[in-house]
Amino acid sequence: MEQLVKGDPAAALPGVGTVKWVNEMGRKRQSGPSQRLSGHGSGSTTWRPATTAVHAGTHDDPVTGAVGTPIYQTSTFILGEDQYRAVEEGYARDRFIYTRYGNPSQWAVQEKLAALEGAESAIVFSSGMAAISATVLSMLDKGAHVVASNELYGGTYNFFHHELPSLGFTVSYVNPRDMSAIEAAIQPNTMVLYFETMTNPLVKVVDMPAIGELARRHSLRLVVDATFTTPLGMHPLEHGAHVVVHSCTKYLNGHSDLVAGVAMGARKHMDAIWPRLLAFGGCLDPHACFLLERSLKTLPLRMRAHAEGAHAVATFLQQHPKIREVHYPGLPSHPDHALAKKLLSNMGGMIAFAVESDAMALKLLDRLQLMRQATSLGGVETLVSLPYNTSHAAYTSDQRTRLGIPAGCVRLSVGIEDPQDLIADLEQALAAL
């Protein structure tokens, strides 16, 4: 029997310390998004990640025998007795009725994502922010309080700082690596802890098992953004998270050609999030679902290349006389290296490093020939940006310093190119300064 979690229906019942509902539904679900579509289904528990990425969720089309999942480019579906009964009896999510409710293209990529994450169920969205906003709002009662990292992705911070207060919620921001500060920020009306597995841009590794234990001890929901680490690096659900969100725009798709998001976890949590998807309208287009499922098939290969390339580039940068500091969790010099080795199966492709000043950093970017100046991350091509004029442009220099972001900081998303070509590009650009 599990401990009662704030926000569960029985939370208001006097004298109830444990409830069966926490882990179990009162009735069985109909076959649907967390069930097999056809031959491949959600995957075998014995499959390794590379096999799961290729085969899980793939829909074998019974009409044509197509090996790849077809694109079901339709807005609506023919209704019959089964669909009407699904609406009447409350399992409309488990039937094809209207693409905002669900679509075979969505179901296929959801199956693959859930299998990779080790989740029971998943919902894809039209962006990472759509996934984050729907997830968080599904877990908050009127007047609730949230404890969140003070090093959030900019879009998430704007949502927490501007939108949640306008809806009557409050948020406290804390150092994600200070467990005592996180615990001290918890209030009687706190309902959700919200953290990221790795911070932006300094790639600090967050101790997810410790935060998961805090959530369990205080009966709080834990939502984790695992975009930087991907399911190939860490499974936050194994460390106490209730819902994991990703911006699929980044590593999961990996080709810089679509915008998408996903929320994953227990089926009962997804069933609570799904009505927000319907209300806010952030469903993912079938063609984007096709592109995302296609890309996920090469995720293990790409993540291996990202990590190997990033390690080589970070090692080069650490030895260069014009580089003041390098942040990459795969380097022994990183303050979280020991924790990273313990928690991460893949160190990822994100590096932060610093030259003498912001002005010099801007000159460095202008001299790069192979790498591309652009926002976002996780693509097959290497992208480079400066926090001071992109992700942290709204902060003063003093605020950035307090967060540990030095002047001249450069964020590098290492792609899958040959690392020696990337090093050569950096070498010539640094020599030209």
Side-chain angles (χ1 to χ4, degrees):
M1 201 73 70
E2 295 288 332
Q3 184 179 5
L4 183 65
V5 176
K6 289 182 182 179
D8 285 345
L13 298 178
V16 178
T18 59
V19 287
K20 192 174 182 180
W21 190 88
V22 173
N23 269 348
E24 298 181 16
M25 301 295 293
R27 60 178 173 79
K28 291 184 177 180
R29 286 285 165 179
Q30 306 294 320
S31 298
S34 62
Q35 304 292 331
R36 296 178 58 168
L37 278 171
S38 63
H40 283 70
S42 58
S44 167
T45 56
T46 62
W47 286 351
R48 291 170 177 80
T51 306
T52 299
V54 173
H55 293 288
T58 299
H59 177 42
D60 298 328
D61 182 55
V63 176
T64 65
V67 173
T69 304
I71 305 172
Y72 292 87
Q73 198 71 49
T74 181
S75 61
T76 192
F77 300 85
I78 296 172
L79 299 178
E81 182 180 348
D82 188 35
Q83 288 76 19
Y84 292 128
R85 185 183 301 113
V87 173
E88 181 180 352
E89 297 182 4
Y91 57 94
R93 186 184 167 216
D94 299 336
R95 293 294 180 270
F96 299 129
I97 294 172
Y98 186 62
T99 285
R100 181 159 52 89
Y101 286 50
N103 177 294
S105 297
Q106 294 169 4
W107 286 19
V109 73
Q110 286 169 174
E111 285 285 351
K112 193 181 294 292
L113 285 163
L116 286 166
E117 190 67 59
E120 183 183 7
S121 188
I123 301 176
V124 288
F125 292 82
S126 56
S127 70
M129 283 310 306
I132 290 167
S133 57
T135 296
V136 171
L137 289 174
S138 74
M139 295 187 168
L140 299 179
D141 291 341
K142 184 177 181 180
H145 173 253
V146 177
V147 176
S149 168
N150 65 356
E151 299 185 54
L152 291 172
Y153 163 66
T156 307
Y157 174 76
N158 288 335
F159 173 67
F160 281 11
H161 186 66
H162 297 291
E163 303 304 325
L164 288 186
S166 72
L167 298 172
F169 305 116
T170 54
V171 184
S172 295
Y173 303 96
V174 293
N175 183 339
R177 296 157 76 219
D178 187 340
M179 296 304 124
S180 60
I182 296 171
E183 190 159 26
I186 295 172
Q187 302 174 9
N189 62 331
T190 302
M191 295 190 72
V192 168
L193 304 181
Y194 186 97
F195 290 90
E196 299 170 355
T197 54
M198 197 179 283
T199 69
N200 177 36
L202 300 182
V203 288
K204 301 172 187 175
V205 181
V206 176
D207 192 342
M208 279 303 152
I211 295 179
E213 173 57 23
L214 275 179
R216 187 202 63 77
R217 194 161 68 245
H218 291 274
S219 302
L220 301 173
R221 293 277 167 74
L222 173 58
V223 179
V224 173
D225 183 336
T227 298
F228 268 40
T229 51
T230 81
L232 276 296
M234 182 194 299
H235 287 159
L237 295 173
E238 296 177 359
H239 301 307
H242 293 87
V243 176
V244 179
V245 294
H246 293 263
S247 170
C248 300
T249 311
K250 313 303 193 297
Y251 284 116
L252 297 184
N253 179 60
H255 291 77
S256 303
D257 56 8
L258 67 82
V259 175
V262 66
M264 295 182 276
R267 172 66 196 253
K268 71 186 186 72
H269 296 318
M270 297 305 103
D271 281 349
I273 294 169
W274 184 67
R276 270 69 182 185
L277 165 68
L278 301 189
F280 304 151
C283 65
L284 189 60
D285 174 78
H287 186 256
C289 292
F290 161 78
L291 291 173
L292 178 56
E293 196 216 346
R294 168 220 60 183
S295 297
L296 285 167
K297 295 178 180 181
T298 61
L299 179 64
L301 299 174
R302 289 187 285 108
M303 291 310 300
R304 189 181 310 133
H306 285 302
E308 291 174 355
H311 192 276
V313 170
T315 301
F316 160 78
L317 290 169
Q318 192 174 45
Q319 298 168 352
H320 198 283
K322 291 184 180 179
I323 303 300
R324 294 193 296 141
E325 56 188 86
V326 179
H327 300 265
Y328 180 66
L331 293 178
S333 59
H334 192 284
D336 299 328
H337 180 63
L339 182 62
K341 287 203 301 181
K342 177 183 176 182
L343 295 181
L344 300 179
S345 303
N346 182 290
M347 297 291 180
M350 300 304 300
I351 301 172
F353 65 94
V355 292
E356 183 178 327
S357 64
D358 288 335
M360 184 174 285
L362 195 58
K363 290 179 181 178
L364 173 67
L365 265 61
D366 289 339
R367 284 165 171 75
L368 290 168
Q369 298 172 358
L370 178 60
M371 302 178 185
R372 293 289 180 259
Q373 294 186 51
T375 59
S376 197
L377 59 101
V380 292
E381 64 285 296
T382 296
L383 301 179
V384 61
S385 62
L386 305 180
Y388 93 91
N389 64 9
T390 55
S391 61
H392 292 74
Y395 293 76
T396 66
S397 59
D398 287 342
Q399 287 174 321
R400 289 194 293 270
T401 299
R402 285 198 295 271
L403 287 174
I405 303 172
C409 184
V410 179
R411 191 187 81 168
L412 195 60
S413 172
V414 176
I416 65 170
E417 304 98 331
D418 190 299
Q420 295 309 310
D421 291 328
L422 299 175
I423 290 170
D425 192 28
L426 283 165
E427 199 162 27
Q428 64 81 24
L430 287 164
L433 291 179

Short mmCIF file of all heavy atoms in Angstrom, two decimals, residues 337-380:
data_model
loop_
_atom_site.label_atom_id
_atom_site.label_comp_id
_atom_site.label_asym_id
_atom_site.label_seq_id
_atom_site.Cartn_x
_atom_site.Cartn_y
_atom_site.Cartn_z
N HIS A 337 30.94 15.25 -11.45
CA HIS A 337 31.38 14.10 -12.24
C HIS A 337 31.04 12.77 -11.56
O HIS A 337 30.54 11.84 -12.21
CB HIS A 337 32.88 14.18 -12.50
CG HIS A 337 33.43 13.04 -13.30
ND1 HIS A 337 33.04 12.80 -14.61
CD2 HIS A 337 34.32 12.06 -12.98
CE1 HIS A 337 33.67 11.72 -15.05
NE2 HIS A 337 34.45 11.25 -14.10
N ALA A 338 31.28 12.69 -10.26
CA ALA A 338 31.00 11.43 -9.54
C ALA A 338 29.51 11.12 -9.56
O ALA A 338 29.10 9.97 -9.79
CB ALA A 338 31.51 11.52 -8.10
N LEU A 339 28.68 12.14 -9.35
CA LEU A 339 27.23 11.94 -9.39
C LEU A 339 26.78 11.57 -10.79
O LEU A 339 25.91 10.71 -10.98
CB LEU A 339 26.51 13.21 -8.91
CG LEU A 339 24.98 13.15 -8.85
CD1 LEU A 339 24.52 12.09 -7.85
CD2 LEU A 339 24.41 14.53 -8.48
N ALA A 340 27.38 12.21 -11.80
CA ALA A 340 27.03 11.90 -13.20
C ALA A 340 27.33 10.45 -13.53
O ALA A 340 26.53 9.76 -14.17
CB ALA A 340 27.77 12.84 -14.14
N LYS A 341 28.49 9.97 -13.10
CA LYS A 341 28.85 8.57 -13.36
C LYS A 341 27.87 7.61 -12.66
O LYS A 341 27.59 6.53 -13.19
CB LYS A 341 30.27 8.29 -12.90
CG LYS A 341 31.35 8.91 -13.78
CD LYS A 341 32.68 8.20 -13.63
CE LYS A 341 33.18 8.22 -12.22
NZ LYS A 341 34.51 7.54 -12.11
N LYS A 342 27.35 8.02 -11.52
CA LYS A 342 26.43 7.19 -10.78
C LYS A 342 25.04 7.16 -11.41
O LYS A 342 24.39 6.11 -11.46
CB LYS A 342 26.34 7.71 -9.34
CG LYS A 342 25.34 6.97 -8.46
CD LYS A 342 25.28 7.60 -7.07
CE LYS A 342 24.21 6.95 -6.20
NZ LYS A 342 24.11 7.60 -4.87
N LEU A 343 24.58 8.32 -11.91
CA LEU A 343 23.19 8.44 -12.37
C LEU A 343 23.01 8.32 -13.88
O LEU A 343 21.93 7.94 -14.34
CB LEU A 343 22.60 9.78 -11.90
CG LEU A 343 22.43 9.99 -10.40
CD1 LEU A 343 21.80 11.36 -10.15
CD2 LEU A 343 21.57 8.89 -9.80
N LEU A 344 24.02 8.68 -14.66
CA LEU A 344 23.83 8.82 -16.10
C LEU A 344 24.46 7.66 -16.88
O LEU A 344 25.62 7.32 -16.67
CB LEU A 344 24.42 10.13 -16.60
CG LEU A 344 23.85 11.42 -16.01
CD1 LEU A 344 24.56 12.63 -16.59
CD2 LEU A 344 22.35 11.51 -16.25
N SER A 345 23.68 7.10 -17.79
CA SER A 345 24.19 6.09 -18.71
C SER A 345 24.81 6.72 -19.94
O SER A 345 25.52 6.06 -20.71
CB SER A 345 23.06 5.14 -19.13
OG SER A 345 22.47 4.54 -18.01
N ASN A 346 24.49 8.00 -20.17
CA ASN A 346 25.02 8.74 -21.32
C ASN A 346 25.20 10.18 -20.86
O ASN A 346 24.29 10.78 -20.30
CB ASN A 346 24.06 8.65 -22.50
CG ASN A 346 24.58 9.37 -23.74
OD1 ASN A 346 24.65 10.59 -23.78
ND2 ASN A 346 24.92 8.59 -24.76
N MET A 347 26.38 10.76 -21.08
CA MET A 347 26.69 12.10 -20.59
C MET A 347 26.13 13.20 -21.48
O MET A 347 26.17 14.38 -21.12
CB MET A 347 28.20 12.28 -20.45
CG MET A 347 28.84 11.35 -19.44
SD MET A 347 28.37 11.77 -17.74
CE MET A 347 29.27 10.49 -16.84
N GLY A 348 25.61 12.85 -22.64
CA GLY A 348 25.00 13.85 -23.50
C GLY A 348 26.01 14.67 -24.28
O GLY A 348 27.22 14.43 -24.21
N GLY A 349 25.50 15.65 -25.01
CA GLY A 349 26.35 16.45 -25.89
C GLY A 349 26.44 17.91 -25.55
O GLY A 349 26.88 18.72 -26.37
N MET A 350 26.03 18.30 -24.32
CA MET A 350 26.02 19.71 -23.94
C MET A 350 27.29 20.10 -23.20
O MET A 350 27.69 19.45 -22.24
CB MET A 350 24.80 20.01 -23.06
CG MET A 350 23.47 19.73 -23.73
SD MET A 350 23.25 20.60 -25.31
CE MET A 350 23.39 22.31 -24.77
N ILE A 351 27.91 21.18 -23.66
CA ILE A 351 29.11 21.74 -23.05
C ILE A 351 28.91 23.23 -22.83
O ILE A 351 28.31 23.91 -23.67
CB ILE A 351 30.36 21.54 -23.95
CG1 ILE A 351 30.59 20.06 -24.24
CG2 ILE A 351 31.60 22.18 -23.34
CD1 ILE A 351 31.68 19.83 -25.29
N ALA A 352 29.40 23.73 -21.71
CA ALA A 352 29.51 25.18 -21.51
C ALA A 352 30.98 25.49 -21.26
O ALA A 352 31.67 24.76 -20.55
CB ALA A 352 28.66 25.63 -20.33
N PHE A 353 31.46 26.57 -21.88
CA PHE A 353 32.83 27.00 -21.63
C PHE A 353 32.88 28.52 -21.66
O PHE A 353 31.93 29.18 -22.11
CB PHE A 353 33.82 26.38 -22.63
CG PHE A 353 33.62 26.82 -24.06
CD1 PHE A 353 34.34 27.89 -24.59
CD2 PHE A 353 32.76 26.14 -24.90
CE1 PHE A 353 34.20 28.28 -25.91
CE2 PHE A 353 32.60 26.51 -26.24
CZ PHE A 353 33.32 27.59 -26.74
N ALA A 354 33.96 29.08 -21.17
CA ALA A 354 34.05 30.54 -21.06
C ALA A 354 35.36 31.05 -21.62
O ALA A 354 36.43 30.49 -21.35
CB ALA A 354 33.89 30.98 -19.61
N VAL A 355 35.25 32.13 -22.40
CA VAL A 355 36.42 32.89 -22.83
C VAL A 355 36.48 34.16 -21.98
O VAL A 355 35.78 34.27 -20.98
CB VAL A 355 36.35 33.21 -24.34
CG1 VAL A 355 36.49 31.93 -25.16
CG2 VAL A 355 35.04 33.91 -24.70
N GLU A 356 37.29 35.12 -22.37
CA GLU A 356 37.59 36.26 -21.49
C GLU A 356 36.38 37.14 -21.20
O GLU A 356 36.21 37.64 -20.08
CB GLU A 356 38.70 37.10 -22.12
CG GLU A 356 39.15 38.28 -21.26
CD GLU A 356 40.28 39.04 -21.92
OE1 GLU A 356 41.10 38.43 -22.62
OE2 GLU A 356 40.34 40.27 -21.73
N SER A 357 35.50 37.36 -22.18
CA SER A 357 34.38 38.30 -22.00
C SER A 357 33.26 37.94 -22.96
O SER A 357 33.43 37.14 -23.90
CB SER A 357 34.85 39.73 -22.28
OG SER A 357 35.24 39.86 -23.65
N ASP A 358 32.08 38.56 -22.73
CA ASP A 358 30.94 38.36 -23.64
C ASP A 358 31.27 38.87 -25.04
O ASP A 358 30.88 38.26 -26.04
CB ASP A 358 29.70 39.07 -23.10
CG ASP A 358 29.12 38.38 -21.87
OD1 ASP A 358 29.34 37.17 -21.72
OD2 ASP A 358 28.46 39.07 -21.08
N ALA A 359 32.01 39.98 -25.11
CA ALA A 359 32.38 40.53 -26.42
C ALA A 359 33.29 39.56 -27.17
O ALA A 359 33.12 39.35 -28.39
CB ALA A 359 33.07 41.88 -26.24
N MET A 360 34.22 38.94 -26.46
CA MET A 360 35.11 37.98 -27.12
C MET A 360 34.33 36.73 -27.53
O MET A 360 34.60 36.14 -28.58
CB MET A 360 36.27 37.61 -26.20
CG MET A 360 37.29 36.69 -26.87
SD MET A 360 38.75 36.37 -25.86
CE MET A 360 39.60 37.93 -26.06
N ALA A 361 33.37 36.33 -26.70
CA ALA A 361 32.55 35.17 -27.04
C ALA A 361 31.78 35.42 -28.33
O ALA A 361 31.66 34.53 -29.18
CB ALA A 361 31.60 34.85 -25.90
N LEU A 362 31.26 36.64 -28.49
CA LEU A 362 30.53 36.98 -29.70
C LEU A 362 31.45 36.94 -30.92
O LEU A 362 31.06 36.46 -31.99
CB LEU A 362 29.89 38.36 -29.55
CG LEU A 362 28.80 38.75 -30.55
CD1 LEU A 362 27.65 37.75 -30.51
CD2 LEU A 362 28.28 40.15 -30.24
N LYS A 363 32.68 37.42 -30.74
CA LYS A 363 33.64 37.36 -31.85
C LYS A 363 33.98 35.91 -32.20
O LYS A 363 34.14 35.56 -33.37
CB LYS A 363 34.92 38.11 -31.46
CG LYS A 363 34.75 39.62 -31.37
CD LYS A 363 36.06 40.29 -30.96
CE LYS A 363 35.88 41.80 -30.85
NZ LYS A 363 37.14 42.47 -30.40
N LEU A 364 34.09 35.07 -31.17
CA LEU A 364 34.37 33.66 -31.41
C LEU A 364 33.29 33.03 -32.28
O LEU A 364 33.60 32.32 -33.25
CB LEU A 364 34.47 32.92 -30.07
CG LEU A 364 34.60 31.39 -30.15
CD1 LEU A 364 35.94 31.00 -30.76
CD2 LEU A 364 34.43 30.76 -28.78
N LEU A 365 32.03 33.28 -31.95
CA LEU A 365 30.93 32.71 -32.73
C LEU A 365 30.97 33.18 -34.17
O LEU A 365 30.68 32.41 -35.10
CB LEU A 365 29.59 33.06 -32.09
CG LEU A 365 29.01 32.00 -31.14
CD1 LEU A 365 29.95 31.74 -29.97
CD2 LEU A 365 27.64 32.44 -30.62
N ASP A 366 31.32 34.43 -34.39
CA ASP A 366 31.36 34.96 -35.75
C ASP A 366 32.48 34.35 -36.58
O ASP A 366 32.42 34.38 -37.81
CB ASP A 366 31.54 36.49 -35.71
CG ASP A 366 30.28 37.20 -35.22
OD1 ASP A 366 29.19 36.59 -35.30
OD2 ASP A 366 30.39 38.34 -34.74
N ARG A 367 33.47 33.78 -35.92
CA ARG A 367 34.60 33.19 -36.64
C ARG A 367 34.44 31.68 -36.87
O ARG A 367 35.22 31.09 -37.60
CB ARG A 367 35.90 33.47 -35.88
CG ARG A 367 36.37 34.92 -36.06
CD ARG A 367 37.44 35.29 -35.04
NE ARG A 367 38.04 36.59 -35.34
CZ ARG A 367 37.45 37.76 -35.13
NH1 ARG A 367 36.24 37.80 -34.61
NH2 ARG A 367 38.07 38.89 -35.44
N LEU A 368 33.45 31.07 -36.25
CA LEU A 368 33.21 29.65 -36.47
C LEU A 368 32.68 29.43 -37.88
O LEU A 368 31.85 30.20 -38.37
CB LEU A 368 32.23 29.12 -35.44
CG LEU A 368 32.75 29.04 -34.00
CD1 LEU A 368 31.61 28.77 -33.03
CD2 LEU A 368 33.83 27.95 -33.88
N GLN A 369 33.13 28.39 -38.54
CA GLN A 369 32.73 28.12 -39.91
C GLN A 369 31.82 26.90 -40.05
O GLN A 369 30.94 26.87 -40.90
CB GLN A 369 33.99 27.93 -40.77
CG GLN A 369 34.88 29.15 -40.81
CD GLN A 369 36.21 28.90 -41.51
OE1 GLN A 369 36.49 27.77 -41.94
NE2 GLN A 369 37.04 29.92 -41.61
N LEU A 370 32.05 25.89 -39.23
CA LEU A 370 31.27 24.66 -39.30
C LEU A 370 30.06 24.70 -38.36
O LEU A 370 28.95 24.32 -38.73
CB LEU A 370 32.15 23.46 -38.96
CG LEU A 370 31.49 22.08 -38.93
CD1 LEU A 370 30.89 21.74 -40.30
CD2 LEU A 370 32.50 21.02 -38.52
N MET A 371 30.28 25.17 -37.16
CA MET A 371 29.20 25.24 -36.17
C MET A 371 28.23 26.37 -36.51
O MET A 371 28.62 27.38 -37.08
CB MET A 371 29.78 25.45 -34.77
CG MET A 371 30.76 24.36 -34.36
SD MET A 371 31.47 24.68 -32.73
CE MET A 371 32.67 23.34 -32.64
N ARG A 372 26.97 26.19 -36.13
CA ARG A 372 25.93 27.15 -36.48
C ARG A 372 25.44 27.91 -35.25
O ARG A 372 25.16 27.30 -34.21
CB ARG A 372 24.75 26.43 -37.14
CG ARG A 372 25.08 25.82 -38.49
CD ARG A 372 25.28 26.94 -39.52
NE ARG A 372 25.61 26.40 -40.85
CZ ARG A 372 26.83 26.38 -41.34
NH1 ARG A 372 27.84 26.80 -40.63
NH2 ARG A 372 27.04 25.91 -42.56
N GLN A 373 25.31 29.23 -35.37
CA GLN A 373 24.74 30.04 -34.30
C GLN A 373 23.22 29.88 -34.35
O GLN A 373 22.58 30.32 -35.30
CB GLN A 373 25.09 31.51 -34.47
CG GLN A 373 26.55 31.84 -34.31
CD GLN A 373 26.79 33.35 -34.35
OE1 GLN A 373 26.14 34.11 -33.63
NE2 GLN A 373 27.71 33.77 -35.20
N ALA A 374 22.66 29.27 -33.33
CA ALA A 374 21.21 29.07 -33.29
C ALA A 374 20.80 28.67 -31.88
O ALA A 374 21.60 28.13 -31.11
CB ALA A 374 20.78 27.98 -34.28
N THR A 375 19.55 28.96 -31.55
CA THR A 375 19.00 28.47 -30.30
C THR A 375 18.67 26.98 -30.45
O THR A 375 18.86 26.40 -31.50
CB THR A 375 17.74 29.24 -29.90
OG1 THR A 375 16.76 29.09 -30.96
CG2 THR A 375 18.03 30.71 -29.71
N SER A 376 18.15 26.39 -29.39
CA SER A 376 17.80 24.99 -29.33
C SER A 376 19.07 24.15 -29.18
O SER A 376 20.19 24.66 -29.03
CB SER A 376 16.98 24.53 -30.54
OG SER A 376 16.34 23.30 -30.26
N LEU A 377 18.87 22.83 -29.18
CA LEU A 377 19.97 21.90 -28.92
C LEU A 377 19.56 20.51 -29.36
O LEU A 377 18.42 20.26 -29.71
CB LEU A 377 20.33 21.91 -27.42
CG LEU A 377 19.20 21.53 -26.45
CD1 LEU A 377 19.32 20.08 -25.97
CD2 LEU A 377 19.19 22.45 -25.25
N GLY A 378 20.51 19.57 -29.30
CA GLY A 378 20.21 18.17 -29.53
C GLY A 378 20.07 17.75 -30.97
O GLY A 378 19.66 16.62 -31.24
N GLY A 379 20.42 18.62 -31.92
CA GLY A 379 20.32 18.26 -33.33
C GLY A 379 21.57 17.54 -33.81
O GLY A 379 22.61 17.53 -33.14
N VAL A 380 21.48 16.95 -34.99
CA VAL A 380 22.64 16.25 -35.55
C VAL A 380 23.75 17.23 -35.90
O VAL A 380 24.92 16.85 -35.97
CB VAL A 380 22.24 15.44 -36.80
CG1 VAL A 380 21.34 14.28 -36.42
CG2 VAL A 380 21.56 16.32 -37.85
#
